[in-house]
Amino acid sequence: MTIADYGSHRSASLSGRLFNDAEDFATLAIELEAARDLNQILADVLEFALTRMSCVGAAVHVSPAGRQLGTTMTSHPQFTVTSTDVDSSQPGEVAPRLMVDLTDGRSTVGTIAFCPAQPDGFSTHDITTAHLIAVHASLAIAAIRTTEDLSAAIEAHTIIGQALGIMMERCAIDADTAFAVLRRWSQDNNTRLQEVARSLITTRRLPGKQDGPARMGVR
Amino acid sequence: MASLRVRQILLDVMTDTHDGSILPGAGVWERLCTQATNAVPVSGAGVALMTPAGHGGTLAATDGPAAAMENLQLTLGEGPCLDAARDRRPVLEADLVRSGMTRWPGFGPAAVDAGIAAIFAFPLQIGAISLGVLDLYRNAPGSLDTLQFGEALDFAAAATTILLDQQHEAGPGRLHSDLAEATDSHREIHQATGMISAQATVGLTDALLLLRAHAYSHDRSLLDVAKDVVARIVTFAPEDDHRE
């Protein structure tokens, strides 16, 4: 995915005008907080790098974590986090890319790569900027992922409860027994509890069972 | 990223010993409600989890009408906190008697009966996801001035930070005990919804509406009726009416 595909909601105030670094990063922080999702965050971060650093291309990769998918975004299709073929139109030797890890305080969540415009690489100022960008990106990524985790965990409680209710009624059992049955099916079929519950709600039968709901009994 | 004021609120709310007036044993969410009530100031406050399906459980509420405010919105499935979470922006109703009655035909009159005159709901959100709502109410009509509005927004920002902090601590796929307690308090509602869905052969959304209609028409809380459904004291027949 490239930032052009995703579009951008960044404010006009960032383009062209010269702010001091602190104001720039404050603006970035506000933009990231307003970002709707992970891809929007990554697009904003890359655009910021292109605007504020002497940088011809940038790419960011976020690793999968738990049930969350990984994702990659680039400023230009020819530029990826792992590719060395940066920009053939650039004259002369291409300087090595600058790679900075994104961390959430516990582990590395991804990597951001910057390609310098100058053959002799990035200035000290640009390197500092790159690391600050990585810090802002890491915070925003951690916040959105934690939010998604929390939202999913709350939803799981709802779905499991509803599935238990259906079983309680169909099989005339109490909540504890229904939970034991659901958990056994989850273990026997090596399927997560909430997936078993979701499937039961949709199909009105336990996964892997050919029989109808009337057979949804206990041993 | 957080403003100085938000950091100060977090410091006050997340440390046990800062304010001697706080009840011993009160958790972070109780302290947040108490301090928001004192700081904005308003008559009372509540914090609730929100899901795309609606009210996800009350994390804490100050004594008196605040608890009623949360229960009413849960029972009726309407109210400022649900609007704030859905629209992802604050809902400000400075005079419930004058304009809230038509805005929320069920919640408005019941909230006024409970002693609520003005209500202000602030979403706790990150990106496109609403996780919860901070509800503030006053026992006299009147809007928040600019400073009070800013203070309320800072409390909402602090509440969002605490939610994320608790979830980060619990790890993916798990819920922090504070949050699990709030969602577990709805256990019977989810189970009853599933049971009614099977009894009345309707979808889960309609099943919840049947439960809600029963609670409303019998002037009972959703949770009480749900417990009766789980205990098989109240049952619903396929032809949409119910037996007791």
Side-chain angles (χ1 to χ4, degrees):
Chain A
M1 192 177 319
T2 76
I3 52 178
D5 293 335
Y6 199 74
S8 169
H9 79 308
R10 81 199 177 95
S11 54
S13 63
L14 261 189
S15 356
R17 289 179 57 189
L18 281 180
F19 281 107
N20 67 46
D21 287 347
E23 279 183 41
D24 269 359
F25 277 107
T27 310
L28 176 64
I30 291 167
E31 284 189 356
L32 293 183
E33 203 162 302
R36 285 185 64 83
D37 56 25
L38 184 57
N39 286 329
Q40 183 76 67
I41 288 170
L42 301 183
D44 286 349
V45 163
L46 295 184
E47 291 220 17
F48 186 86
L50 295 182
T51 320
R52 300 303 304 147
M53 295 169 64
S54 180
C55 181
V56 293
V60 57
H61 173 69
V62 180
S63 321
R67 286 179 281 284
Q68 307 225 20
L69 300 174
T71 186
T72 301
M73 188 168 292
T74 182
S75 61
H76 303 87
Q78 73 271 27
F79 186 56
T80 69
V81 178
T82 48
S83 163
T84 50
D85 178 20
V86 175
D87 185 350
S88 50
S89 68
Q90 286 290 307
E93 286 273 296
V94 172
R97 289 168 304 144
L98 173 62
M99 312 272 289
V100 184
D101 280 345
L102 307 173
T103 64
D104 71 349
R106 278 203 289 233
S107 54
T108 300
V109 298
T111 307
I112 184 165
F114 307 90
C115 177
Q118 308 302 323
D120 55 349
F122 285 115
S123 66
T124 314
H125 181 267
D126 272 353
I127 292 172
T128 308
T129 302
H131 281 89
L132 282 172
I133 289 173
V135 170
H136 279 270
S138 300
L139 286 172
I141 292 166
I144 204 100
R145 284 197 148 175
T146 304
T147 304
E148 286 167 359
D149 281 341
L150 178 52
S151 184
I154 296 172
E155 195 196 358
H157 270 243
T158 306
I159 290 168
I160 291 168
Q162 291 169 342
L164 293 181
I166 293 172
M167 295 168 70
M168 288 155 71
E169 179 61 27
R170 287 277 163 78
C171 311
I173 50 179
D174 65 15
D176 289 345
T177 312
F179 186 76
V181 173
L182 200 65
R183 189 171 53 192
R184 199 178 62 222
W185 256 295
S186 161
Q187 288 165 350
D188 289 354
N189 296 285
N190 200 21
T191 308
R192 284 164 54 229
L193 197 59
Q194 72 183 86
E195 293 312 323
V196 178
R198 197 188 299 275
S199 158
L200 188 147
I201 286 170
T202 317
T203 64
R204 299 288 163 145
R205 56 182 74 177
L206 282 156
K209 285 267 149 176
Q210 297 308 310
D211 304 328
R215 297 287 299 276
M216 204 189 277
V218 278
R219 275 204 287 257
Chain B
M1 292 206 281
S3 77
L4 278 179
R5 178 59 187 141
V6 175
R7 286 186 211 182
Q8 183 62 48
I9 293 169
L10 288 170
L11 192 66
D12 290 347
V13 168
M14 296 186 85
T15 52
D16 291 329
T17 52
H18 182 78
D19 186 340
S21 70
I22 283 163
L23 292 171
V28 60
W29 294 108
E30 284 78 11
R31 287 197 294 276
L32 184 99
C33 288
T34 308
Q35 296 196 11
T37 302
N38 295 336
V40 173
V42 285
S43 306
V47 193
L49 291 173
M50 285 292 155
T51 72
H55 203 288
T58 303
L59 287 167
T62 52
D63 291 338
M69 167 174 77
E70 297 301 337
N71 284 333
L72 281 172
Q73 301 191 66
L74 169 61
T75 298
L76 300 169
E78 68 166 27
C81 81
L82 298 154
D83 289 358
R86 188 194 57 221
D87 301 341
R88 301 191 301 118
R89 61 170 181 232
V91 171
L92 311 171
E93 184 48 74
D95 192 344
L96 206 51
V97 172
R98 213 185 55 194
S99 38
M101 304 304 216
T102 48
R103 197 170 180 182
W104 303 293
F107 173 79
V112 170
D113 283 349
I116 296 169
I119 193 160
F120 314 100
F122 296 84
L124 315 180
Q125 63 191 24
I126 294 284
I129 302 175
S130 289
L131 292 171
V133 169
L134 172 66
D135 284 321
L136 309 175
Y137 81 91
R138 278 181 170 159
N139 54 19
S143 48
L144 299 173
D145 66 28
T146 309
L147 281 178
Q148 292 167 341
F149 183 69
E151 185 73 355
L153 283 177
D154 283 347
F155 268 93
T160 307
T161 304
I162 296 169
L163 268 184
L164 289 186
D165 190 57
Q166 291 192 331
Q167 177 58 33
H168 187 71
E169 198 181 297
R174 301 189 162 275
L175 272 182
H176 185 274
S177 55
D178 283 3
L179 311 182
E181 202 178 304
T183 56
D184 276 350
S185 71
H186 281 199
R187 192 176 47 226
E188 287 90 353
I189 295 172
H190 303 317
Q191 292 170 2
T193 303
M195 288 179 72
I196 295 167
S197 152
Q199 287 169 0
T201 51
V202 294
L204 291 163
T205 309
D206 286 342
L208 182 56
L209 285 177
L210 286 175
L211 183 66
R212 210 161 247 155
H214 182 97
Y216 184 70
S217 61
H218 290 73
D219 199 19
R220 300 181 63 195
S221 85
L222 194 66
L223 189 57
D224 282 348
V225 177
K227 284 178 175 167
D228 278 358
V229 171
V230 169
R232 302 174 206 274
I233 296 168
V234 175
T235 57
F236 290 76
E239 54 271 25
D240 273 12
D241 58 12
H242 47 264
R243 292 173 266 123
E244 279 184 63

